[in-house]
Protein backbone atom coordinates (compact mmCIF):
# COMPACT_ATOMS: atom_id res chain seq x y z
CA UNK A 1 0.00 0.00 0.00
CA UNK A 2 1.43 3.42 -0.91
CA UNK A 3 2.58 5.68 1.93
CA UNK A 4 -0.05 8.31 1.07
CA UNK A 5 -2.85 5.76 1.67
CA UNK A 6 -1.22 4.66 4.95
CA UNK A 7 -1.21 8.27 6.18
CA UNK A 8 -4.84 8.72 5.20
CA UNK A 9 -5.85 5.56 7.08
CA UNK A 10 -3.84 6.61 10.14
CA UNK A 11 -5.56 10.03 10.16
CA UNK A 12 -8.96 8.31 9.97
CA UNK A 13 -8.07 6.08 12.94
CA UNK A 14 -6.78 9.00 15.05
CA UNK A 15 -9.83 11.07 14.09
CA UNK A 16 -12.08 8.35 15.57
CA UNK A 17 -10.30 8.07 18.93
CA UNK A 18 -12.62 9.24 21.72
CA UNK A 19 -9.89 11.27 23.47
CA UNK A 20 -8.75 14.63 22.11
CA UNK A 21 -5.42 14.32 20.28
CA UNK A 22 -3.22 17.26 19.24
CA UNK A 23 0.04 17.04 17.25
CA UNK A 24 2.46 19.99 17.54
CA UNK A 25 5.67 20.13 15.51
CA UNK A 26 9.04 21.40 16.76
CA UNK A 27 8.20 24.98 15.79
CA UNK A 28 4.96 25.06 17.81
CA UNK A 29 2.67 24.67 14.80
CA UNK A 30 -0.43 22.48 15.08
CA UNK A 31 -0.08 19.70 12.54
CA UNK A 32 -3.26 17.77 13.37
CA UNK A 33 -6.10 17.61 15.83
CA UNK A 34 -8.80 15.00 15.86
CA UNK A 35 -12.56 15.41 15.93
CA UNK A 36 -12.80 14.64 19.67
CA UNK A 37 -10.44 17.53 20.46
CA UNK A 38 -12.44 19.88 18.24
CA UNK A 39 -15.64 18.83 20.02
CA UNK A 40 -14.09 19.03 23.51
CA UNK A 41 -12.84 22.59 22.95
CA UNK A 42 -15.66 23.76 20.64
CA UNK A 43 -13.23 24.39 17.78
CA UNK A 44 -15.32 25.38 14.78
CA UNK A 45 -12.60 25.94 12.16
CA UNK A 46 -9.51 24.06 11.03
CA UNK A 47 -6.59 25.03 13.26
CA UNK A 48 -3.99 23.06 11.34
CA UNK A 49 -1.05 25.36 10.63
CA UNK A 50 -1.74 27.61 13.64
CA UNK A 51 1.09 28.36 16.08
CA UNK A 52 0.00 27.41 19.60
CA UNK A 53 1.46 30.67 20.93
CA UNK A 54 -0.82 32.64 18.58
CA UNK A 55 -4.08 31.04 19.75
CA UNK A 56 -6.34 33.69 21.32
CA UNK A 57 -5.74 34.27 25.04
CA UNK A 58 -9.29 33.24 26.01
CA UNK A 59 -9.13 30.06 23.88
CA UNK A 60 -9.88 26.95 25.99
CA UNK A 61 -7.34 24.86 24.07
CA UNK A 62 -4.57 27.40 24.70
CA UNK A 63 -5.61 27.48 28.34
CA UNK A 64 -5.41 23.68 28.50
CA UNK A 65 -1.95 23.59 26.95
CA UNK A 66 -0.42 26.46 28.90
CA UNK A 67 -2.04 25.84 32.29
CA UNK A 68 0.05 22.67 32.46
CA UNK A 69 3.21 24.75 31.89
CA UNK A 70 2.39 27.05 34.80
CA UNK A 71 2.85 24.11 37.20
CA UNK A 72 6.42 23.57 36.01
CA UNK A 73 8.74 24.38 38.93
CA UNK A 74 11.72 25.26 36.77
CA UNK A 75 14.32 26.19 36.17
CA UNK A 76 13.00 27.53 32.89
CA UNK A 77 15.38 27.60 29.93
CA UNK A 78 16.01 31.36 30.17
CA UNK A 79 16.94 30.88 33.85
CA UNK A 80 19.22 27.93 33.13
CA UNK A 81 20.88 29.76 30.21
CA UNK A 82 21.01 33.11 32.05
CA UNK A 83 19.39 34.92 29.12
CA UNK A 84 19.54 38.74 29.32
CA UNK A 85 16.37 40.49 30.52
CA UNK A 86 15.93 42.21 27.14
CA UNK A 87 15.78 38.89 25.23
CA UNK A 88 12.48 38.71 23.36
CA UNK A 89 11.63 35.24 24.59
CA UNK A 90 7.95 34.26 24.42
CA UNK A 91 8.53 31.86 27.30
CA UNK A 92 9.78 34.50 29.74
CA UNK A 93 6.51 36.42 29.88
CA UNK A 94 4.15 33.43 29.70
CA UNK A 95 5.99 30.90 31.92
CA UNK A 96 6.07 28.66 28.84
CA UNK A 97 8.28 25.64 29.56
CA UNK A 98 8.48 24.07 26.07
CA UNK A 99 11.97 25.46 25.42
CA UNK A 100 12.71 23.37 22.29
CA UNK A 101 10.16 25.46 20.39
CA UNK A 102 12.47 28.47 20.80
CA UNK A 103 15.64 26.68 19.67
CA UNK A 104 14.78 27.15 15.98
CA UNK A 105 14.80 30.93 16.36
CA UNK A 106 17.94 30.96 18.49
CA UNK A 107 16.26 32.08 21.69
CA UNK A 108 16.80 28.95 23.74
CA UNK A 109 20.52 29.50 24.30
CA UNK A 110 20.99 25.90 23.19
CA UNK A 111 23.37 26.85 20.38
CA UNK A 112 24.00 24.08 17.89
CA UNK A 113 23.41 21.23 20.33
CA UNK A 114 20.40 19.00 19.70
CA UNK A 115 17.52 19.71 22.06
CA UNK A 116 17.23 15.96 22.69
CA UNK A 117 20.63 16.08 24.41
CA UNK A 118 19.80 19.17 26.46
CA UNK A 119 19.14 18.69 30.20
CA UNK A 120 16.43 21.38 30.04
CA UNK A 121 14.46 19.46 27.41
CA UNK A 122 14.83 16.24 29.40
CA UNK A 123 13.53 17.95 32.55
CA UNK A 124 10.54 19.51 30.76
CA UNK A 125 9.77 16.29 28.91
CA UNK A 126 9.69 14.31 32.17
CA UNK A 127 7.33 16.93 33.63
CA UNK A 128 4.97 16.93 30.62
CA UNK A 129 4.84 13.13 30.39
CA UNK A 130 3.17 12.92 33.81
CA UNK A 131 -0.64 13.14 33.57
CA UNK A 132 -2.23 16.26 35.03
CA UNK A 133 -5.87 16.96 35.70
CA UNK A 134 -7.28 20.38 34.92
CA UNK A 135 -10.71 21.92 35.13
CA UNK A 136 -11.52 23.24 31.68
CA UNK A 137 -14.95 24.63 30.88
CA UNK A 138 -16.59 22.97 33.88
CA UNK A 139 -15.12 19.55 33.05
CA UNK A 140 -12.22 17.63 34.53
CA UNK A 141 -9.69 16.86 31.81
CA UNK A 142 -6.59 14.69 32.11
CA UNK A 143 -3.74 16.07 30.00
CA UNK A 144 -0.75 13.94 29.00
CA UNK A 145 2.04 14.62 26.52
CA UNK A 146 4.19 12.15 24.68
CA UNK A 147 7.01 12.92 22.27
CA UNK A 148 8.13 11.81 18.84
CA UNK A 149 11.83 12.42 18.27
CA UNK A 150 13.14 12.31 14.71
CA UNK A 151 16.65 10.86 14.58
CA UNK A 152 17.77 12.34 11.28
CA UNK A 153 16.62 15.94 11.68
CA UNK A 154 16.70 16.14 15.47
CA UNK A 155 13.10 17.36 15.39
CA UNK A 156 10.71 16.91 18.28
CA UNK A 157 6.94 16.63 17.93
CA UNK A 158 4.68 16.74 20.95
CA UNK A 159 1.47 14.74 21.00
CA UNK A 160 -0.95 15.94 23.67
CA UNK A 161 -3.89 13.76 24.70
CA UNK A 162 -6.86 15.36 26.45
CA UNK A 163 -9.21 12.91 28.18
CA UNK A 164 -12.49 14.08 29.71
CA UNK A 165 -12.54 12.35 33.11
CA UNK A 166 -15.56 14.21 34.52
CA UNK A 167 -17.76 11.11 34.61
CA UNK A 168 -15.07 9.01 36.30
CA UNK A 169 -14.62 11.70 38.98
CA UNK A 170 -18.37 11.97 39.57
CA UNK A 171 -18.70 8.18 39.71
CA UNK A 172 -15.91 7.97 42.29
CA UNK A 173 -17.53 10.71 44.40
CA UNK A 174 -20.90 8.89 44.32
CA UNK A 175 -19.24 5.62 45.38
CA UNK A 176 -17.42 7.33 48.27
CA UNK A 177 -20.63 9.04 49.38
CA UNK A 178 -22.50 5.72 49.15
CA UNK A 179 -19.84 3.95 51.22
CA UNK A 180 -19.87 6.72 53.83
CA UNK A 181 -23.69 6.60 54.04
CA UNK A 182 -23.59 2.83 54.40
CA UNK A 183 -21.12 3.10 57.30
CA UNK A 184 -23.33 5.64 59.08
Amino acid sequence: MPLREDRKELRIVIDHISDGVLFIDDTGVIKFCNRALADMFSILKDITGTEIISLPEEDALKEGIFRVDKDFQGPFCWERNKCPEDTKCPGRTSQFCRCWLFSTCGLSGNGKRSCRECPQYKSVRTFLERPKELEIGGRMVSVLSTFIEYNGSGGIWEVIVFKDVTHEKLDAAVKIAGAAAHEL
Side-chain angles (χ1 to χ4, degrees), residues 118-183:
C118 177
Q120 183 68 31
Y121 165 67
K122 291 175 183 176
S123 171
V124 171
R125 178 183 171 152
T126 300
F127 168 75
L128 292 172
E129 287 179 329
R130 290 190 305 264
K132 291 138 195 77
E133 289 186 0
L134 307 171
E135 183 180 338
I136 300 173
R139 296 174 303 208
M140 288 303 296
V141 178
S142 176
V143 181
L144 172 72
S145 290
T146 189
F147 295 86
I148 301 169
E149 298 175 346
Y150 291 97
N151 288 330
S153 68
I156 300 166
W157 278 33
E158 182 177 4
V159 181
I160 307 175
V161 178
F162 296 86
K163 179 177 181 68
D164 189 340
V165 294
T166 305
H167 295 295
E168 287 92 345
K169 293 288 185 185
L170 290 173
D171 187 46
V174 167
K175 286 179 182 174
I176 290 171
H182 177 71
E183 290 298 318

Side-chain angles (χ1 to χ4, degrees), residues 20-32:
V21 180
L22 179 70
F23 286 77
I24 303 169
D25 73 8
D26 55 0
T27 64
V29 172
I30 296 171
K31 298 308 263 184
F32 178 77

Side-chain angles (χ1 to χ4, degrees), residues 3-184:
L3 185 58
R4 177 168 265 135
E5 288 179 35
D6 286 346
R7 284 185 180 167
K8 184 178 179 182
E9 287 180 2
L10 181 58
R11 282 183 172 261
I12 290 169
V13 169
I14 293 171
D15 207 31
H16 286 83
I17 293 174
S18 61
D19 298 333
V21 180
L22 179 70
F23 286 77
I24 303 169
D25 73 8
D26 55 0
T27 64
V29 172
I30 296 171
K31 298 308 263 184
F32 178 77
C33 74
N34 69 351
R35 195 176 329 177
L37 183 98
D39 292 345
M40 185 181 293
F41 291 99
S42 302
I43 298 170
L44 302 175
K45 63 180 180 120
D46 184 14
I47 59 172
T48 303
T50 304
E51 290 183 320
I52 58 173
I53 292 174
S54 70
L55 291 169
E57 287 304 317
E58 66 282 350
D59 188 271
L61 177 59
K62 185 173 186 174
E63 181 183 339
I65 294 169
F66 290 108
R67 191 180 305 163
V68 168
D69 287 52
K70 291 179 179 152
D71 291 336
F72 183 68
Q73 298 299 306
F76 288 89
C77 89
W78 68 87
E79 294 170 320
R80 185 182 296 247
N81 293 313
K82 297 178 176 65
C83 294
E85 294 263 338
D86 61 348
T87 301
K88 292 185 172 137
C89 176
R92 183 184 290 268
T93 57
S94 66
Q95 299 297 302
F96 189 57
C97 71
R98 291 167 169 87
C99 55
W100 60 92
L101 299 180
F102 309 129
S103 65
T104 58
C105 61
L107 294 175
S108 72
N110 191 18
K112 303 237 184 255
R113 185 175 58 184
S114 166
C115 285
R116 294 183 308 171
E117 300 166 14
C118 177
Q120 183 68 31
Y121 165 67
K122 291 175 183 176
S123 171
V124 171
R125 178 183 171 152
T126 300
F127 168 75
L128 292 172
E129 287 179 329
R130 290 190 305 264
K132 291 138 195 77
E133 289 186 0
L134 307 171
E135 183 180 338
I136 300 173
R139 296 174 303 208
M140 288 303 296
V141 178
S142 176
V143 181
L144 172 72
S145 290
T146 189
F147 295 86
I148 301 169
E149 298 175 346
Y150 291 97
N151 288 330
S153 68
I156 300 166
W157 278 33
E158 182 177 4
V159 181
I160 307 175
V161 178
F162 296 86
K163 179 177 181 68
D164 189 340
V165 294
T166 305
H167 295 295
E168 287 92 345
K169 293 288 185 185
L170 290 173
D171 187 46
V174 167
K175 286 179 182 174
I176 290 171
H182 177 71
E183 290 298 318
L184 292 175

